[in-house]
Amino acid sequence: MELIFKKLAQLSASLVFFILAATALVLYLSARPAIEEFGLGFLFESRWGVEETRAQPVLSPNQVVDEMPVIDEQADALLDDDFIDDEDDFVGDDDDESSGDTRIVYGALVPIVGTLFSTLIAMFFSIPIAMGIAVFLSEIAPKLLAKPVGVAIELLASIPSIIYGMWGLFYFGPFIAGIFGGNTVSLLVAGLVLGIMVIPFMAALSRDAISTVPDMLKESAYAMGATKLEVIKDVVFPYAKSGIIGSIILSFGRALGETMAVAFVIGGVYQFVGKVTDPTNSIPVVLANSFAESSGLSLSVLFYLALILFAMSFIVIAVAKFFFLRRK
Amino acid sequence: MRLILNRLFLIFSSAAALVGLFFLAWILFTLCSKGLAGLSLSVFTNDLIDGGLRNVIVGQLMMSGIATFIGIPVGILAGIYLQEYGGNTKTTEFMRDLSDVMMSAPSIVIGTFVYAIVVVPTGHTSGWAGVLALFILMVPIIVRTTDDMLKLVPTELREAGIAIGASKYHVTMNIVVRYAKAGILTGILLAFARVVGETAPLLYTSGSSQFWTTDLGDTFPSLTVSIYNLATMPDNEMVQLGWTGAFLLTAMVLMINLLGRYASNKKRR
């Protein structure tokens, strides 16, 4: 009994490790056709689902970064296609999966940039507000107010992300478009909705970090005549620094991988933004929108994207864990 | 000058808190006003195909429930292993970190993983695939709370148990876990609440169905996926139903959360 129990427990614990390893492995294997096809250049390629002739050298990212209208691209490809067909026939012979000497090019640059930018906007927006809430709850508000507001914040952190997305689509998007102009779905709206979503999460974690500051330290500072600002700036923040930074990084990780809150409001268009009020795309949204109708190489490309997202969030969280949130 | 700065700072931070709370209140307000408007008995008695939400609510609860049911023993056992058997070794620490990384992994990635290992081989979406995705999301959360809760159990209790000749298994199950029961229960409820509201991992694992079914081998109705589909439809009635679903979902999640809080508060007193 004793032994069985121990083995069972051990097995369960290794299961977590096993799942993590299996996820990475399965994603890699499923993505392999795409990885072989596009290599690491995938990360810097801005076109998506565009036909291209084999003989044509892949454009360097610098050349493509300037928003190239998709239609022109396709027209170019068609023209080149005819031209090459006239001249010789063996150009595309090594290509076994696409017809003739063209292939469809997929690139991850647009969703990667969209993911990073929307997350950064979210962070710029949410950090000051979440810090304000955390400080307010732990240092400013009277006990009578701090408790219920604190509980409310924690409850709000548990609201499913799809709710934030829906609210963003129907209310917040038009509201923002009314102020800044542009579309009701855009990078800006996506970033702000993400920001609002992580505020309660970040505020709750930061408040916990701030509440670990010993009262003795604060009282000593007050006794020396320090104002509240000085106590918070010179005593509380330095003491709780690693916990606060950790909470920011965890929120960053959450915003990075968030699907539903963004899917409603980012627009799902493969294009770089000229202005922040333009629609664009992010990795989770591409995955959510295109998975069902993909197969073969295009499916493999999606797995490649998922692998990139997995790696990105893995790195973010690992950094948070290993540098800032060491549990004792 | 110092006093003015101090004043400004206090005003700023209170204002930031107000702004944050304003947005959150706005969300709750729209949710209630839009959601309650469409709430009626027929929502609970009809399936999605007839303009109700019965099948998707039951489907969502079934999938999350089964995932929880399988996730509880696995998660708790893993937590027990980390705290009681693992000791303070590097390996244990590493496993703990991995579990935390797993907990924060993007849920859509879990969805793609399950898609690759279940949906691709079987050729169609199914309730079991949804259950598996939710299970993977859930286990690390339970591991973490169990681990944390067991850490709070005083070592003296364990020593006392060993001293009267009880085996490690008995000490663990009858003393340590019993002591930490309320905390673990709260953890499970919070994990359940988190999983119930998940959409991304279900999008292409369970899919969503408009019809009543309890056959997990088939494409399975899901409340969250249905909300997503309904909200993006052009038809106003559909959107309204989506809001009602969103309201019910939030109410459910918040209630489970409150229940979890209540469970842990009762213990403390």
Side-chain angles (χ1 to χ4, degrees):
Chain A
M1 192 68 212
E2 175 76 42
L3 207 67
I4 297 174
F5 183 71
K6 187 177 173 182
K7 283 282 167 238
L8 264 179
Q10 197 169 12
L11 201 72
S12 310
S14 10
L15 185 71
V16 176
F17 170 71
F18 173 75
I19 292 175
L20 193 69
T23 308
L25 186 70
V26 166
L27 286 184
Y28 174 71
L29 287 179
S30 310
R32 211 161 61 180
I35 296 176
E36 278 164 4
E37 180 78 22
F38 303 112
L40 278 179
F42 184 65
L43 297 176
F44 306 106
E45 172 62 62
S46 63
R47 288 168 297 170
W48 183 273
V50 177
E51 240 176 76
E52 167 197 77
T53 53
R54 270 289 167 132
Q56 189 184 28
V58 178
L59 293 172
S60 75
N62 302 345
Q63 283 171 277
V64 209
V65 163
D66 308 316
E67 248 179 71
M68 223 179 244
V70 174
I71 301 168
D72 286 358
E73 193 67 46
Q74 269 167 341
D76 280 355
L78 284 174
L79 281 176
D80 285 356
D81 195 2
D82 293 343
F83 176 68
I84 291 164
D85 273 347
D86 290 344
E87 217 165 50
D88 51 9
D89 279 322
F90 60 86
V91 176
D93 278 1
D94 56 338
D95 187 3
D96 45 5
E97 48 183 306
S98 55
S99 58
D101 48 8
T102 63
R103 67 168 185 175
I104 298 182
V105 176
Y106 294 94
L109 196 60
V110 171
I112 288 179
V113 169
T115 307
L116 288 178
F117 276 175
S118 59
T119 309
L120 285 179
I121 293 176
M123 289 296 116
F124 273 120
F125 179 64
S126 60
I127 288 174
I129 294 185
M131 290 307 133
I133 295 180
V135 168
F136 178 78
L137 286 180
S138 52
E139 303 295 326
I140 300 175
K143 279 265 171 327
L144 208 65
L145 193 64
K147 187 112 208 290
V149 175
V151 172
I153 293 281
E154 279 173 37
L155 284 179
L156 286 168
S158 69
I159 291 183
S161 55
I162 188 170
I163 309 291
Y164 288 94
M166 228 177 138
W167 170 77
L169 176 66
F170 288 105
Y171 290 89
F172 193 61
F175 172 71
I176 287 298
I179 298 176
F180 296 96
N183 288 302
T184 57
V185 288
S186 66
L187 179 66
L188 181 67
V189 176
L192 293 180
V193 168
L194 265 185
I196 293 172
M197 190 192 87
V198 296
I199 284 173
F201 182 68
M202 199 193 286
L205 284 178
S206 299
R207 186 203 52 184
D208 291 347
I210 289 176
S211 65
T212 60
V213 179
D215 286 341
M216 187 95 80
L217 281 181
K218 289 188 276 182
E219 280 156 14
S220 325
Y222 282 126
M224 293 178 64
T227 61
K228 213 155 214 171
L229 168 64
E230 286 159 347
V231 171
I232 291 168
K233 181 166 63 86
D234 298 329
V235 178
V236 174
F237 272 170
Y239 189 93
K241 196 173 72 186
S242 74
I244 291 176
I245 296 177
S247 84
I248 291 174
I249 297 181
L250 283 184
S251 310
F252 187 90
R254 182 170 265 211
L256 199 67
E258 179 51 48
T259 314
M260 300 323 291
V262 187
F264 281 108
V265 289
I266 200 162
V269 191
Y270 292 96
Q271 66 171 34
F272 286 109
V273 285
K275 312 187 292 291
V276 282
T277 49
D278 286 341
T280 180
N281 223 333
S282 83
I283 300 181
V285 177
V286 175
L287 293 177
N289 287 342
S290 330
F291 229 88
E293 58 255 28
S294 299
S295 60
L297 187 63
S298 63
L299 186 64
S300 175
V301 165
L302 292 179
F303 278 113
Y304 197 174
L305 272 183
L307 190 64
I308 293 170
L309 181 66
F310 191 50
M312 276 160 82
S313 83
F314 191 96
I315 292 167
V316 168
I317 294 152
V319 167
K321 286 289 163 212
F322 289 91
F323 291 106
F324 299 107
L325 292 176
R326 266 261 159 255
R327 277 197 272 162
K328 270 159 219 117
Chain B
M1 189 60 202
R2 285 171 60 218
L3 290 178
I4 297 171
L5 269 182
N6 185 46
R7 229 343 179 329
L8 278 176
F9 171 73
L10 291 187
I11 291 171
F12 166 77
S13 113
S14 309
L18 269 181
V19 169
L21 290 174
F22 163 74
F23 281 121
L24 298 168
W26 186 7
I27 293 175
L28 284 185
F29 173 74
T30 33
L31 203 56
C32 289
S33 67
K34 290 292 268 184
L36 284 173
L39 204 59
S40 68
L41 200 63
S42 68
V43 168
F44 299 100
T45 52
N46 287 334
D47 291 338
L48 191 56
I49 191 77
D50 303 317
L53 292 168
R54 182 180 66 145
N55 66 329
V56 289
I57 293 175
V58 171
Q60 187 84 9
L61 286 176
M62 245 179 96
M63 282 194 288
S64 326
I66 296 173
T68 314
F69 195 69
I70 322 171
I72 287 173
V74 176
I76 291 184
L77 277 173
I80 288 176
Y81 180 79
L82 287 182
Q83 196 61 39
E84 304 292 316
Y85 292 95
N88 259 333
T89 59
K90 276 251 154 61
T91 332
T92 318
E93 206 44 46
F94 180 64
M95 280 176 137
R96 211 164 262 162
D97 286 330
L98 275 188
S99 165
D100 282 354
V101 167
M102 214 38 218
M103 189 161 79
S104 321
S107 53
I108 186 111
V109 172
I110 310 280
T112 55
F113 168 61
V114 173
Y115 183 86
I117 61 167
V118 179
V119 181
V120 169
T122 57
H124 62 88
T125 53
S126 68
W128 286 117
V131 168
L132 181 64
L134 295 181
F135 166 78
I136 294 176
L137 268 176
M138 182 154 204
V139 166
I141 310 178
I142 302 184
V143 173
R144 171 78 192 250
T145 38
T146 309
D147 190 22
D148 285 348
M149 287 305 145
L150 294 186
K151 199 185 302 172
L152 298 178
V153 178
T155 321
E156 288 79 8
L157 276 182
R158 298 189 181 104
E159 286 163 355
I162 303 276
I164 58 168
S167 68
K168 179 115 189 172
Y169 164 74
H170 275 290
V171 172
T172 306
M173 284 319 272
N174 296 335
I175 300 177
V176 177
V177 172
R178 182 172 290 183
Y179 184 93
K181 209 166 60 185
I184 296 177
L185 182 70
T186 303
I188 290 170
L189 282 170
L190 293 186
F192 181 72
R194 161 106 194 263
V195 161
V196 159
E198 278 294 348
T199 316
L202 294 179
L203 272 177
Y204 32 80
T205 52
S206 74
S208 186
S209 161
Q210 303 206 314
F211 306 97
W212 172 264
T213 175
T214 51
D215 175 16
L216 284 162
D218 216 351
T219 298
F220 212 66
S222 148
L223 176 59
T224 46
V225 176
S226 302
I227 293 175
Y228 182 51
N229 293 337
L230 288 169
T232 45
M233 275 181 191
D235 184 358
N236 265 334
E237 245 171 70
M238 291 288 149
V239 174
Q240 175 58 52
L241 195 61
W243 277 111
T244 310
F247 172 76
L248 289 174
L249 178 70
T250 312
M252 213 150 72
V253 169
L254 290 184
M255 240 135 66
I256 300 166
N257 259 293
L258 282 175
L259 201 69
R261 250 154 234 291
Y262 175 73
S264 64
N265 276 342
K266 210 169 73 174
K267 170 75 190 186
R268 235 174 265 148
R269 251 181 256 129

